[in-house]
Amino acid sequence: MELVESTFIPLFLVFTSALALSLGHCVGMCGGIVLAFTQMKKPSWVGHLAYSVGRLCSYECIGIGFALLGRAFALSYVWREWASVLVGVLLIIYALCYGFFPRILRFLEPKVDSRWLGRAFGTLLHSRSLWSFFGIGVLNGFLPCGLVYFFALYTLNEQILGLSGVMGAVCVMGVFWLGSLPSMLGLGTLASVLQAYQKQAFWASLVAMLGLGLWNIYTGITIMQG
C-alpha cells in the first residue's frame, strides 16, 4: 500500500495531466514541427519513433538537471525538511499560472537564439539521415515549454516516488513523455479528433496538475509528522 501511495499515485497524476495536456498543448506547440518534417521528409514509422526518442532524451536531461539542482538545495536543512511542501506549493502556483495567467510563464521561460535554432532545424529538415529525425526531436525537447518545466519542477524534490532524486526524475520525465506520445504519434490522422476535446482536456489536466501539487504537500506534512 505504501508503494502505491508513494509511487503509482503521483506517476498516475503525471501521466494523466501529460496525456490530457498533449491533446491541446503538445499538438499546438510541436505539431507544426511534426507536420513540417512529415511533409518534407516523408518518414516511415522509424523516423517518427526516432523523433520521439530524441524528445525523450531532452526531457530526461532537463529532469536530471533539475534533480541535481534539488540535491544541491538539500544541503540546506530547511529544504530537506520542507522540500515536498515547498515543491507542492510551487506546482500549484505554476498550474494556476499555466491555466489562467500564461503570460507570466512566458516571461519566465528562458530565451533562445531563434536564428541559430532556425538554422539548426533547417539543416535537419533537409537531411535524409535517420539521425536527423532524432536531432529534430532533441531540439524540439529543449524548446522553452511551460509543460516540460512543470514536471521538471516536480523533480526538484528528492523525496519523490520513494526513489533517489535522479532515478525519480528519470521516471517522472519518462512517464510525462509516455503521456504525450499518443497524440504526437497520431498527429497526422487524429489531429481533428484531438482538437475537438481541447476544452475537456484543459480542465482534466489542470485538476491533475493541482492534484500533483496537493499530493506533494500531503506527503511532506505526513513525513514531518512521522
Side-chain angles (χ1 to χ4, degrees), residues 14-213:
V14 170
F15 181 81
T16 301
S17 52
L19 179 63
L21 277 167
S22 70
L23 300 181
H25 178 87
C26 292
V27 169
M29 181 171 181
C30 305
I33 295 173
V34 175
L35 293 177
F37 75 69
T38 299
Q39 292 173 0
M40 293 182 65
K41 297 157 74 71
K42 303 292 190 291
S44 65
W45 66 270
V46 178
H48 283 285
L49 181 60
Y51 162 77
S52 294
V53 172
R55 284 196 306 119
L56 173 62
C57 291
S58 297
Y59 296 158
E60 295 291 6
C61 288
I62 293 171
I64 290 172
F66 271 74
L68 294 176
L69 184 62
R71 180 170 296 179
F73 288 164
L75 296 175
S76 163
Y77 172 81
V78 174
W79 182 262
R80 286 199 306 273
E81 293 296 308
W82 289 84
S84 291
V85 175
L86 293 174
V87 170
V89 171
L90 289 174
L91 290 175
I92 290 173
I93 294 173
Y94 199 112
L96 292 174
C97 289
Y98 186 88
F100 303 108
F101 309 102
R103 289 186 178 181
I104 296 176
L105 297 185
R106 283 197 291 270
F107 176 76
L108 295 175
E109 287 175 354
K111 303 297 185 292
V112 295
D113 188 335
S114 58
R115 292 172 298 178
W116 174 87
L117 199 61
R119 286 195 296 269
F121 269 119
T123 300
L124 291 170
L125 283 172
H126 287 90
S127 171
R128 295 297 174 183
S129 167
L130 180 62
W131 284 102
S132 66
F133 295 100
F134 176 81
I136 291 172
V138 170
L139 285 179
N140 193 169
F142 279 116
L143 287 176
C145 172
L147 183 56
V148 173
Y149 295 136
F150 173 83
F151 294 107
L153 182 64
Y154 177 41
T155 66
L156 278 175
N157 178 14
E158 279 205 303
Q159 301 175 38
I160 59 172
L161 311 180
L163 304 171
S164 67
V166 171
M167 283 303 300
V170 168
C171 290
V172 168
M173 300 309 286
V175 170
F176 159 63
W177 173 78
L178 282 175
S180 68
L181 191 60
S183 62
M184 297 308 297
L185 288 179
L187 183 63
T189 56
L190 300 177
S192 59
V193 177
L194 298 175
Q195 294 292 323
Y197 292 95
Q198 280 193 49
K199 188 173 182 179
Q200 294 90 331
F202 166 77
W203 288 110
S205 60
L206 184 61
V207 169
M209 291 166 77
L210 291 172
L212 190 61

